[in-house]
Amino acid sequence: MLKLRMRFEKTGRAVYISHLDLMHTFHRVFLRAGYPLKHSEGFNPHPILSIALPLSVGHGSVCEIMDVTLVQDTVDTAQMAVDLNAVLPEGIRVQAPYIPETKASAIKWLRVMGRYEYDGKQAVELIAPLRAFYTCSELPVSRKTKRGEGIIDIAPYVKDVTINADGEDVRLAATVSVNEPTINPELLVKVLQQNDPELAPDFAEFTRLEIFTEKMEVFR
Amino acid sequence: MDKRLKRILPKVQKPARYTGGEYNQIIKDKADVDLRMAFCFPDTYEIGMSNIGMRILYGVINKMPDVWCERVFAPWGDMREEMVQAGIPLYALESGDPVSDFDVVAFSIGYEMAYTTVLDMLHLSGIPLKSADRPDLVPLVFAGGTSCVNPEPMADFLDLMVIGEGEEVDCEVLELFRRAKLEGWSKREFLVKAAQIQGVYVPSLYEHSYNADGTLASVTALEGAPERVKKRIIEDMDSVYFPTAPIVPSTEIVHDRVNVELFRGCIRGCRFCQAGYVYRPVRAKSPEIVARQGIELLKNTGYQEATLLSLSSSDYRHLSEACDLMLDWCEPRACSLSLPSLRADNFSMDIMQRLQKVRKGGLTFAPEAGSQRLRDAINKNVKEEDLLHSCKVAFQGGWNGVKLYFMLGLPTETDEDVVGISEIANEVLHTWRENAVNKNRGVRITVSTSMFIPKPHSPFQWEAQVPMEEYMRKVELLRDSIKARNVTYNWHDAKTSFIEAVLSRGDRKIGALIEEVWRTGGYLEAWGDYFDYNRWAYAFETCGIDPAFYANRERGKDELLPWDVIDVGVAKRHLWHERERAYASTLSPDCRKQCTGCGAASLLKGGVCDA
């Protein structure tokens, strides 16, 4: 038995695979690569595999974290990554696994990139007002939670916002809290729609870039 | 990926089914191939990817170095609407290129209710629906699949149809088309030559004339096309291509496991069953090949469940041997085998118990009729005591659910036969009471009935379907006679079965009806979500078509039937003979017991059937 952690990316066409489907996909990937996963005990045994911070359908990531328990006791980690990558669907790639030393609950911050598309507007003209908007001291946004609709000020949970032109689009980068509270990057668009709809993009696409601990160290 | 597509995908249900990119998809460089084929399945991704025929043909066609075959499925309603609004044409999953870029657009049509979806997919691709409105050689629009055994309803829309198993004939058609394209033939030139390939039916080379009563008077073959088109079959199942490294979908599909074929054809000859006749003769794989392919499939995909497929698994001679060979590999790896289509009469508990080690869910049996007399009439050679014995063994083995499938409206059926269904359910319940291991868990007995649909190339091809009102009367009768609380009764909607009856025995005039229903919104009609009877009722009016002529009319012995042009191997006189035996409630032996000389063996070079 061997507990391993690995980072993987999910980009391109793979961003539309849902979290649950991704779990099933990985389960089969480990089997066809020849690394069977240990199963839980009980009436309905399931493979021991967990992915931290479920990613929304349509969002990409180059910093996903997955914990698995293998049946075997030792493994050549570099070879394992090669074997897994040989049988993964398009858009999903893993890095060499390692023995985890921290708990996934230590993840606190997420660096995310957003590409905003505007129809019939010049992106360059929006950069200054967007910068001004995201540096407001208050960013109230109403969102649905399990307890119903609630207003949250996301300003304390969004930091290091940068905004630049990206061809015809606007490229935003921001660091958001993903643990108490969890700020879905889509709130960065929602907050525009609710407070300054003129600045809201017609379409936005997000990609996770890096995950950090409370102390802003890269999570491993 | 198309920017417009990126915008709509996050808005639709299950977007992963519209993206491609799955493991084992086949990608080629389009600059390196002569022909690009869009292989269209007229239903959703989840259904189409579960279809073994499509999996086989996708593999076999892509083995041709000069051809790149890609998959296309019908979008669900939400996606369809978004695509239309955004101006995105139907596209193929592998390359994302629009279907209109392809040289060949081919459909696999397994069931009649998919007809309107075929038209819609052509429309979404920007391709004219009718063959006559596509004067150019490219694109070639063709189809294959079980529905093509009566090609006439879709004759207006398809340039050609492939009859029978496609592994060889599809490649021959594509090879000829490749030549035609390189040498710049006209469409007509190509079709005339294609009609010379065995198994190819070119609708435009057959002229139909009708009698005053609307029945078919004559069919004239033109330009050397054969009088009758003979079905194609694969003779040697051991050497035929079978995909052992198939695409593994990244999202859940209906049959989310690997499939291994055991054999094609069926030895049984149930008189209502089209599949039992059109897939003849019986041809089996050897158990070693079954096991080898099954194990390779599990290894290559990472699935942990394999289904052993055939029309009647317990009739496979080497079933235990094949299962043993596979289980030796499967058991240490926690893989399981499943066997659909087991018969109640030779149900092997041993095998079932070996296969289903962990979970014991429900068992399904299809006695089809409620009395021995009627079961004899339809040649469903299952005795009540066999069924009850199978249930007994199952209940003793810990199963606690049984599903029983029946048909209502079978030829010669009486009210006694209908009520007999509830008596069988009671007997099964009684058997459970006597044999259950743990009565506290309760039992679920489900009775389901569907409305009998007479199908071409079966002994009941001449029958009238009972009117919908009569079916509903039978449903009420049965419902009132089921008293036990542990017995649940479900019945299939009469309206879809009625429409299916019209379509399955339709002639060429039905094409206008299908087009009208599509024009008024008909699409994905195999789904209750989308089927709308009113659309059909309206189209019957508009097109001046009397549905009863097709569904509820008994055909005469000598009537020229629209599908007589297709030779599936079984002689028409054999079907008539079987029909007469049905009315005498006389059983016919299964093919293994005694050959009844149906004629299908003539499709084999040696002329000997491996029943």
Side-chain angles (χ1 to χ4, degrees):
Chain A
M1 191 175 98
L2 184 60
K3 282 188 178 184
L4 291 176
R5 173 169 295 166
M6 66 190 78
R7 292 171 69 106
F8 68 94
E9 62 173 57
K10 183 168 176 264
T11 58
R13 302 202 242 186
V15 305
Y16 301 102
I17 302 173
S18 72
H19 179 69
L20 190 64
D21 284 338
L22 184 68
M23 303 272 281
H24 292 148
T25 296
F26 264 118
H27 178 207
R28 292 195 272 264
V29 162
F30 282 100
L31 280 172
R32 59 188 184 242
Y35 299 90
L37 299 180
K38 197 175 153 35
H39 279 64
S40 65
E41 314 275 323
F43 191 70
N44 270 333
H46 57 271
I48 303 178
L49 182 158
S50 66
I51 298 171
L53 308 179
L55 192 60
S56 301
V57 171
H59 290 205
S61 175
V62 295
C63 60
E64 293 300 281
I65 290 281
M66 170 171 54
D67 287 346
V68 295
T69 305
L70 299 187
V71 172
Q72 63 216 67
D73 297 315
T74 55
V75 74
D76 174 344
T77 54
Q79 186 58 44
M80 182 171 166
V82 172
D83 294 342
L84 290 172
N85 283 328
V87 296
L88 273 160
E90 191 182 304
I92 303 177
R93 287 293 169 268
V94 300
Q95 293 175 15
Y98 52 91
I99 311 278
E101 284 162 10
T102 45
K103 285 193 170 170
S105 55
I107 302 171
K108 169 65 182 165
W109 296 100
L110 170 70
R111 187 72 178 161
V112 67
M113 181 186 83
R115 194 178 55 79
Y116 288 10
E117 287 180 15
Y118 293 89
D119 297 341
K121 282 184 193 160
Q122 291 292 323
V124 271
E125 289 165 19
L126 297 168
I127 290 172
L130 278 169
R131 281 178 182 156
F133 179 88
Y134 284 118
T135 45
C136 287
S137 57
E138 278 183 23
L139 293 171
V141 57
S142 91
R143 62 166 184 178
K144 276 189 195 119
T145 66
K146 279 172 197 156
R147 290 172 294 277
E149 194 95 0
I151 298 212
I152 178 176
D153 175 15
I154 62 170
Y157 312 114
V158 176
K159 53 186 194 180
D160 306 328
V161 179
T162 64
I163 288 159
N164 292 293
D166 177 7
E168 292 182 351
D169 307 326
V170 169
R171 180 184 298 261
L172 161 143
T175 303
V176 297
S177 164
V178 283
N179 193 358
E180 288 184 21
T182 301
I183 302 298
N184 187 321
E186 279 170 19
L187 289 180
L188 295 171
V189 172
K190 223 171 211 176
V191 75
L192 287 170
Q193 288 165 345
Q194 291 176 10
N195 298 286
D196 198 346
E198 281 292 298
L199 291 178
D202 292 285
F203 175 70
E205 157 180 68
F206 291 97
T207 307
R208 289 177 176 176
L209 300 175
E210 191 54 272
I211 42 176
F212 300 95
T213 61
E214 180 81 56
K215 292 177 184 161
M216 285 305 287
E217 287 159 346
V218 171
F219 176 85
R220 282 198 46 86
Chain B
M1 186 182 283
D2 187 307
K3 269 190 146 183
R4 296 169 299 170
L5 193 58
K6 270 192 173 183
R7 283 199 186 188
I8 64 178
L9 283 174
K11 293 196 268 181
V12 300
Q13 291 175 54
K14 305 186 202 162
R17 54 188 165 167
Y18 304 121
T19 60
E22 310 96 315
Y23 176 63
N24 274 340
Q25 66 169 353
I26 296 172
I27 298 287
K28 297 187 183 184
D29 186 338
K30 55 188 171 192
D32 292 346
V33 296
D34 296 333
L35 280 190
R36 295 186 69 190
M37 170 167 147
F39 193 162
C40 304
F41 195 91
D43 209 319
T44 61
Y45 178 90
E46 296 92 309
I47 302 284
M49 287 302 289
S50 303
N51 183 281
I52 190 157
M54 179 155 193
R55 298 293 195 119
I56 292 173
L57 295 173
Y58 177 78
V60 94
I61 292 166
N62 273 315
K63 278 186 70 176
M64 299 175 78
D66 301 317
V67 184
W68 183 15
C69 171
E70 303 183 40
R71 296 160 297 147
V72 185
F73 300 97
W76 192 247
D78 59 345
M79 179 64 172
R80 186 190 182 282
E81 203 180 310
E82 294 285 351
M83 286 170 69
V84 169
Q85 252 176 29
I88 302 173
L90 195 63
Y91 58 91
L93 292 184
E94 280 76 0
S95 64
D97 290 341
V99 173
S100 54
D101 283 4
F102 285 68
D103 305 295
V104 178
V105 179
F107 289 89
S108 170
I109 316 180
Y111 30 91
E112 294 84 356
M113 296 313 286
Y115 287 162
T116 51
T117 313
V118 172
L119 301 199
D120 202 61
M121 290 175 81
L122 285 172
H123 168 74
L124 292 174
S125 308
I127 296 171
L129 303 186
K130 287 191 169 161
S131 177
D133 296 334
R134 299 186 299 261
D136 298 334
L137 180 71
V138 176
L140 168 69
V141 179
F142 81 99
T146 313
S147 295
C148 296
V149 296
N150 176 13
E152 297 311 328
M154 291 296 281
D156 290 349
F157 312 107
L158 300 165
D159 300 328
L160 66 85
M161 292 187 208
V162 162
I163 312 298
E165 294 160 14
E167 284 102 329
E168 293 169 354
V169 62
D170 279 5
C171 298
E172 291 164 23
V173 168
L174 291 172
E175 194 47 49
L176 185 73
F177 187 72
R178 192 175 78 99
R179 239 183 85 198
K181 198 187 147 201
L182 292 175
E183 295 175 9
W185 302 358
S186 73
K187 179 172 177 175
R188 184 77 168 183
E189 252 178 293
F190 164 74
L191 290 177
V192 166
K193 285 213 175 71
Q196 298 304 316
I197 300 174
Q198 189 201 323
V200 171
Y201 176 69
V202 178
S204 57
L205 298 183
Y206 295 83
E207 257 173 24
H208 287 205
S209 69
Y210 298 93
N211 298 309
D213 64 0
T215 56
L216 197 57
S218 69
V219 176
T220 316
L222 309 174
E223 305 209 37
E227 295 292 320
R228 295 188 76 205
V229 173
K230 199 174 209 168
K231 173 182 90 179
R232 285 292 287 269
I233 58 161
I234 296 301
E235 293 209 26
D236 180 7
M237 290 297 293
D238 279 347
S239 62
V240 71
Y241 167 85
F242 191 77
T244 51
I247 293 172
V248 183
S250 307
T251 181
E252 199 179 349
I253 60 171
V254 177
H255 295 290
D256 220 358
R257 49 192 167 263
V258 299
N259 291 306
V260 201
E261 263 188 300
L262 297 175
F263 65 97
R264 292 184 188 170
C266 182
I267 66 169
R268 293 291 162 177
C270 300
R271 292 174 180 132
F272 56 85
C273 180
Q274 184 183 45
Y277 285 89
V278 303
Y279 293 132
R280 288 183 182 204
V282 172
R283 291 143 295 145
K285 278 184 190 172
S286 65
E288 294 78 18
I289 297 281
V290 167
R292 203 188 74 208
Q293 291 176 343
I295 292 166
E296 268 180 48
L297 274 163
L298 291 167
K299 270 190 199 163
N300 290 339
T301 59
Y303 276 107
Q304 287 186 295
E305 187 181 353
T307 300
L308 304 182
L309 273 183
S310 70
L311 290 173
S312 179
S313 306
S314 34
D315 288 330
Y316 180 53
R317 284 179 200 267
H318 321 286
L319 189 61
S320 311
E321 204 182 335
C323 287
D324 286 345
L325 286 169
M326 279 194 75
L327 285 170
D328 286 345
W329 188 89
C330 288
E331 278 174 346
R333 292 166 181 83
C335 293
S336 64
L337 297 183
S338 59
L339 278 177
S341 312
L342 280 176
R343 283 177 64 86
D345 62 349
N346 53 3
F347 175 71
S348 157
M349 205 55 215
D350 226 33
I351 283 181
M352 281 303 284
Q353 262 172 339
R354 285 201 66 189
L355 297 190
Q356 297 223 325
K357 279 224 159 114
V358 200
R359 271 172 238 165
K360 283 185 175 145
L363 280 177
T364 303
F365 296 113
E368 310 290 5
S371 72
Q372 196 57 48
R373 185 208 60 80
L374 187 53
R375 280 195 297 277
D376 288 352
I378 61 175
N379 209 36
K380 181 84 188 186
N381 201 348
V382 174
K383 293 204 173 67
E384 188 168 325
E385 57 258 40
D386 297 328
L387 171 74
L388 294 178
H389 177 73
S390 302
C391 289
K392 178 179 162 184
V393 183
F395 293 141
Q396 285 172 342
W399 269 274
N400 58 352
V402 176
K403 282 185 191 162
L404 302 168
Y405 285 3
F406 297 90
M407 275 185 281
L408 289 179
L410 285 162
T412 78
E413 184 180 70
T414 63
D415 283 1
E416 247 169 67
D417 299 319
V418 175
V419 176
I421 294 174
S422 73
E423 284 156 18
I424 291 183
N426 283 336
E427 287 300 318
V428 172
L429 184 59
H430 182 69
T431 308
W432 174 77
R433 286 209 182 98
E434 305 247 290
N435 296 286
V437 203
N438 182 354
K439 280 192 196 166
N440 293 331
R441 286 176 66 199
V443 66
R444 285 166 290 113
I445 297 168
T446 311
V447 170
S448 301
T449 63
S450 61
M451 184 174 175
F452 168 64
I453 303 167
K455 292 274 171 153
H457 302 288
S458 75
F460 289 158
Q461 64 177 357
W462 292 274
E463 299 300 320
Q465 186 183 46
V466 296
M468 287 192 276
E469 303 73 39
E470 173 63 3
Y471 170 73
M472 284 318 293
R473 189 190 66 80
K474 287 170 193 271
V475 166
E476 293 299 326
L477 180 67
L478 176 54
R479 195 170 64 161
D480 292 343
S481 68
I482 294 176
K483 300 271 180 348
R485 263 185 301 143
N486 318 28
V487 180
T488 317
Y489 175 38
N490 304 318
W491 61 94
H492 193 263
D493 172 46
K495 287 172 174 157
T496 13
S497 305
F498 176 61
I499 299 302
E500 199 179 319
V502 172
L503 295 177
S504 68
R505 290 186 297 169
D507 54 23
R508 215 167 260 201
K509 290 178 273 187
I510 289 296
L513 174 81
I514 297 168
E515 192 176 350
E516 179 63 15
V517 170
W518 165 77
R519 207 185 53 75
T520 51
Y523 170 68
L524 284 182
E525 292 197 296
W527 294 83
D529 312 54
Y530 290 111
F531 176 77
D532 179 2
Y533 181 74
N534 293 332
R535 221 157 22 213
W536 290 92
Y538 175 80
F540 290 136
E541 291 281 320
T542 329
C543 302
I545 282 172
D546 173 16
F549 176 82
Y550 296 95
N552 311 118
R553 179 177 64 91
E554 185 179 333
R555 276 67 165 171
K557 184 183 179 188
D558 298 320
E559 182 173 332
L560 179 61
L561 303 171
W563 54 92
D564 282 346
V565 69
I566 302 301
D567 176 8
V568 297
V570 179
K572 197 174 176 183
R573 61 173 159 69
H574 175 78
L575 296 177
W576 183 265
H577 180 65
E578 282 296 313
R579 181 187 192 238
E580 287 187 321
R581 289 173 74 90
Y583 277 91
S585 296
T586 309
L587 282 170
S588 291
D590 68 59
C591 303
R592 197 162 285 165
K593 211 174 272 167
Q594 189 201 326
C595 175
T596 50
C598 70
S602 69
L603 294 166
L604 295 160
K605 279 195 196 81
V608 184
C609 170
D610 174 37

